[in-house]
Amino acid sequence: PPIELEGGVVIGPKSMGAFVESVQNCRESTKVVFLGDTTLAKLRQQPTAMDLLNAYGTANLAVEGYTVEQMDEFLRKVEIHNLAHTHTVVVMIGAENLGALEKADTVFEKIVSFVETVRQKFDTGTKLYVLTILPRDSPGLNRAINSVNTRLNNKYKAYGMVKVIELTSRFFDAAKGTLITSLYSGNNYHINKDGYTVIMELLLPM
């Protein structure tokens, strides 16, 4: 079953049943909801980042390994009346799809569709922040990631209630053409505690 931590942080789903239960157990006073894949799911394992979040009512409903369409299906199937009035939703999704070598155009369209699902499930006054997909230690994969991220920025730059948070410049040294490895774990795929701190520092002022 889901576990609620101090500040209303929910340890999230591994199945549809657990997902529904974790949503239903969230407090109506929740201010920030996280939806996404592995990067946001692993946020729960980061004490420094969690310390920053504990000042807020926060529900982390991200699921490790989930594709855009899996997260979209979950969100479509659950009732979130208790979370519908939340102030902010943070989305980070698409890395699993690109890692499976899906075309960038396809992944972009899936993310846009998911953003619309989110907008339909939450109040019109809820602010939606879309975090760009993090760069990886692969030139080919990074080309696809950059393509999706650029299109997301262009798509939502004129939207009032949807804002794209660009992460690439904080995690990739363009001059050297390499990852900023101090923000990644040993495999240069998942970020470490310092990487999560960077994301929190970008999000919390919002």
Side-chain angles (χ1 to χ4, degrees), residues 119 152-164:
R119 295 178 73 195
L152 288 173
N153 273 302
N154 291 337
K155 169 76 176 176
Y156 294 112
K157 62 184 177 183
Y159 280 62
M161 299 307 290
V162 181
K163 180 177 176 59
V164 174

Side-chain angles (χ1 to χ4, degrees), residues 8 35 70 90 103-104 110 124 134 149 161 166 203:
L35 294 168
Q70 286 174 313
V90 178
K103 291 183 178 180
K110 287 180 177 181
T124 55
L134 290 168
N149 289 345
M161 299 307 290
E166 204 285 312
L203 279 178

Side-chain angles (χ1 to χ4, degrees), residues 89-100:
V89 175
V90 178
V91 168
M92 183 187 240
I93 198 81
E96 303 293 341
N97 298 74
L98 290 176

